């Protein structure tokens, strides 16, 4: 018999094997200072493109004032207990009602965390006889929720409606045998590529197939649609989304999440979501803070307007300079380059140390080998000067990548890793 930990000692995983070279700088970095367009990294000022604070609310003075007042009034513990037992309040209900109204649904229910809530919602929606059909590029929280499912599940090619239709045909045949139903899961905005899920085309398939649609709109909520109600509003199909999910961790710059849908569906979920039934209620200071943030989202359209001014300036500037930003249809701005993981490390170090640009780096196994993805998240706090400096810096690092500078700089690292 093997020692359970033997595999851990032998194989740290595709990212873990780089820990000694990467930790504290490329992964688990420590940004310091007030959350904004410019922060400090290892004592140096950097333009930050890695913060999902789309509307610039994280450090907004009105938000900080309400957060501080709520903390002073309620502390960090109230209410104690799970919602079902002792953790329910009028303000929790108020926030739910306002969220439901904002996203044009009958009802909503608060979740403590987006990841945890997504996993638990999928678990509650399906039984062993049901079939799940989901986008192959779905977020990890969706994949983990699907893993809990004891029935069949199929993936369809990313945003490929033909592939979805083929898998719905397979799922329909299987559901006829099991007597179950079908749940289709897509994202409103895919967080790495920035592409919107093809919700309109997915909804159109309801005329041919009998399924329910669950949409994770973490990156669309607050950024897309005329009012900011998300990708469903943007595409004109919000009413056809059966269960709508969004998190507070992006546009609302806080902790928590919610699901929304028809009253009867939400009533069922709130009595069957294990992650909420057996977990402490969302703290009151976060509930009060979310109410303030939602009010600002609804009454201050200038925040979203400024966000999109920066998005358009950054994305158009990158395209004009010949960078590949894929087919993003959102604020998420990916820049695709070709190179190895060691080259990516050298490139990012150059960006941070010599150009004062801090953005996230994504490499294999999240994306295919040989590709480097630099992921930029514009916010309402960024300026056109930030955009201009970043574009110039990207011109420089691309030249160094193409002329082999980073390959030479990374040679020692490759040798040390025995690659």
């Amino acid at each position: 018999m093997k020692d359970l930990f033997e595999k851990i000692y032998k194989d740290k995983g595709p990212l873990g094997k780089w820990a000694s070279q990467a930790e504290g700088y490329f992964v688990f970095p420590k940004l310091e200072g007030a959350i904004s367009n410019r922060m400090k990294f290892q004592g140096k000022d950097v333009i930050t493109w890695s913060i999902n604070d789309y509307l610039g609310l994280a450090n907004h003075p009105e938000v900080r004032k309400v957060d501080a007042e709520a903390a002073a009034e309620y502390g960090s513990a109230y209410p104690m207990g799970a919602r079902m037992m002792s953790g329910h309040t009028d303000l929790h209900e108020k926030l739910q009602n306002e969220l439901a109204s904002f996203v044009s649904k009958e009802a909503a229910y608060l979740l403590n965390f987006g990841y945890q809530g997504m996993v638990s919602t999928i678990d509650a929606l399906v039984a062993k006889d049901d079939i799940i059909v989901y986008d192959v590029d779905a977020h990890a929280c969706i994949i983990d929720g699907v893993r809990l499912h004891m029935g069949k599940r199929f993936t369809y090619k990313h945003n490929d409606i033909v592939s979805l239709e083929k898998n719905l045909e397979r799922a329909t045949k299987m559901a006829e045998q099991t007597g179950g139903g079908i749940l289709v899961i897509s994202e409103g905005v895919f967080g790495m590529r920035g592409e919107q899920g093809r919700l309109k085309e997915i909804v159109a398939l309801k005329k041919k197939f009998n399924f329910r649609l669950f949409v994770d709109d973490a990156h669309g909520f607050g950024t897309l649609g005329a009012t900011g109600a998300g990708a469903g509003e943007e595409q004109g199909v919000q009413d056809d989304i059966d269960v709508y999910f969004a998190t507070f961790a992006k546009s609302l710059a806080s902790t928590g999440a919610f699901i929304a849908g028809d009253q009867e569906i939400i009533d069922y979920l709130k009595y069957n979501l294990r992650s909420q039934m057996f977990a402490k209620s969302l703290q009151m200071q976060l509930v009060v803070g979310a109410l303030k943030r939602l009010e600002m989202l609804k009454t201050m359209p200038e925040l979203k307007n400024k966000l999109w001014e920066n998005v358009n300036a950054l994305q158009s500037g990158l395209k004009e300079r010949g960078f590949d930003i894929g087919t993003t249809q959102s604020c998420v701005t990916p820049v695709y380059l070709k190179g190895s993981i060691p080259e990516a490390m050298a490139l990012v170090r150059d960006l941070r140390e010599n150009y004062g640009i801090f953005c996230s780096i994504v490499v294999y196994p999240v994306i295919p080998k040989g590709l480097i993805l630099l992921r930029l998240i514009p916010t309402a706090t960024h300026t056109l000067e930030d955009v201009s400096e970043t574009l110039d810096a990207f011109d420089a690092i691309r030249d160094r990548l193409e002329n082999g500078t980073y390959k030479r700089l990374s040679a020692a690292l490759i040798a040390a890793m025995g690659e």
Side-chain angles (χ1 to χ4, degrees), residues 34-35 57-69 293:
I35 297 172
L57 296 179
N59 200 42
H60 194 287
E62 290 186 42
V63 166
R64 291 193 60 157
K65 180 175 182 293
V66 168
D67 285 352
E69 290 172 350
R293 289 160 169 82

Side-chain angles (χ1 to χ4, degrees), residues 63-139:
V63 166
R64 291 193 60 157
K65 180 175 182 293
V66 168
D67 285 352
E69 290 172 350
E73 181 174 357
Y74 297 105
S76 60
Y78 183 81
M80 286 299 293
R83 292 280 294 283
M84 267 189 167
M85 304 301 290
S86 57
H88 188 61
T89 73
D90 288 340
L91 287 178
H92 284 74
E93 285 189 352
K94 180 181 180 182
L95 178 56
Q96 287 174 172
N97 291 337
E98 292 194 11
L99 286 165
S101 175
F102 183 65
V103 298
S104 301
K105 295 296 181 186
E106 287 183 359
Y109 193 63
L110 290 179
L111 308 170
N112 291 357
F113 296 98
Y115 200 112
Q116 171 201 53
M118 173 59 70
V119 170
S120 194
T121 300
I122 294 172
D123 180 50
L125 284 172
V126 292
K128 65 180 177 63
D129 293 332
D130 299 322
I131 294 91
I132 298 175
V133 182
Y134 65 106
D135 192 295
V136 71
D137 275 7
H139 189 271

Side-chain angles (χ1 to χ4, degrees), residues 41-339:
F41 177 64
Q42 297 196 343
K44 296 184 178 181
D45 292 328
V46 291
I47 302 173
T48 50
W49 296 103
S50 291
I51 306 295
N52 290 323
D53 180 25
Y54 284 121
L55 300 178
L57 296 179
N59 200 42
H60 194 287
E62 290 186 42
V63 166
R64 291 193 60 157
K65 180 175 182 293
V66 168
D67 285 352
E69 290 172 350
E73 181 174 357
Y74 297 105
S76 60
Y78 183 81
M80 286 299 293
R83 292 280 294 283
M84 267 189 167
M85 304 301 290
S86 57
H88 188 61
T89 73
D90 288 340
L91 287 178
H92 284 74
E93 285 189 352
K94 180 181 180 182
L95 178 56
Q96 287 174 172
N97 291 337
E98 292 194 11
L99 286 165
S101 175
F102 183 65
V103 298
S104 301
K105 295 296 181 186
E106 287 183 359
Y109 193 63
L110 290 179
L111 308 170
N112 291 357
F113 296 98
Y115 200 112
Q116 171 201 53
M118 173 59 70
V119 170
S120 194
T121 300
I122 294 172
D123 180 50
L125 284 172
V126 292
K128 65 180 177 63
D129 293 332
D130 299 322
I131 294 91
I132 298 175
V133 182
Y134 65 106
D135 192 295
V136 71
D137 275 7
H139 189 271
C141 65
I142 295 173
I143 294 171
D144 284 354
V146 171
R147 282 175 174 171
L148 291 178
H149 180 43
M150 292 184 290
K152 293 291 184 179
R153 64 264 194 161
F154 301 114
T155 58
Y156 62 93
K157 295 177 183 178
H158 174 59
N159 259 350
D160 187 323
I161 299 303
V162 173
S163 176
L164 172 58
E165 188 166 359
K166 288 180 179 178
N167 280 283
L168 281 171
E169 289 171 354
R170 297 170 67 195
T172 298
K173 290 178 182 177
M174 188 160 290
E176 288 170 350
Q177 295 173 359
T178 65
I182 301 171
L183 178 67
V184 172
I185 308 175
S186 177
E187 295 189 47
V189 173
F190 290 86
M192 285 295 164
R193 300 173 186 256
E195 297 165 341
Q196 291 183 42
R198 296 176 66 180
L199 305 183
K200 192 170 184 177
E201 291 95 328
I202 294 173
V203 164
L205 289 176
K206 284 188 172 185
K207 296 175 182 177
K208 185 175 179 181
F209 300 96
N210 182 16
F211 65 87
R212 294 293 186 171
L213 176 60
F214 183 19
V215 174
D216 174 354
D217 205 24
H219 289 274
F221 178 76
T223 67
L224 294 175
T227 69
E233 182 183 52
E234 176 83 8
Q235 298 183 36
V237 293
Q238 186 74 356
D239 291 346
D240 298 292
I241 296 172
D242 297 295
V243 181
Y244 178 88
F245 166 95
T247 176
F248 299 163
K250 310 284 190 293
S251 288
L252 295 192
S254 186
T255 299
F258 72 98
I259 46 175
D262 291 348
Q263 184 72 59
E264 192 166 358
I265 304 305
I266 298 305
D267 284 345
Y268 171 82
L269 288 171
K270 76 180 183 181
Y271 280 93
N272 290 278
L273 283 170
R274 294 174 64 81
S275 68
Q276 304 306 122
M277 294 167 65
F278 301 103
K280 184 182 179 297
S281 175
L282 192 67
Q283 299 100 308
M284 186 66 88
Q285 68 193 80
L286 296 174
V287 173
V288 173
L291 281 164
K292 177 61 179 178
R293 289 160 169 82
L294 182 59
E295 174 197 321
M296 294 173 71
L297 171 55
K298 293 190 288 187
T299 62
M300 298 175 66
E302 63 270 21
L303 297 174
K304 186 161 77 76
N305 292 340
K306 177 56 179 172
L307 164 65
W308 276 98
E309 178 186 1
N310 291 332
V311 171
N312 291 331
L314 178 64
Q315 292 184 358
S316 62
L318 287 165
K319 286 190 285 189
E320 287 167 4
R321 295 173 185 233
F323 285 96
D324 179 7
I325 65 169
T327 55
T328 180
Q329 302 156 312
S330 69
C331 303
V332 178
T333 306
V335 178
Y336 297 95
L337 300 166
K338 292 182 180 179

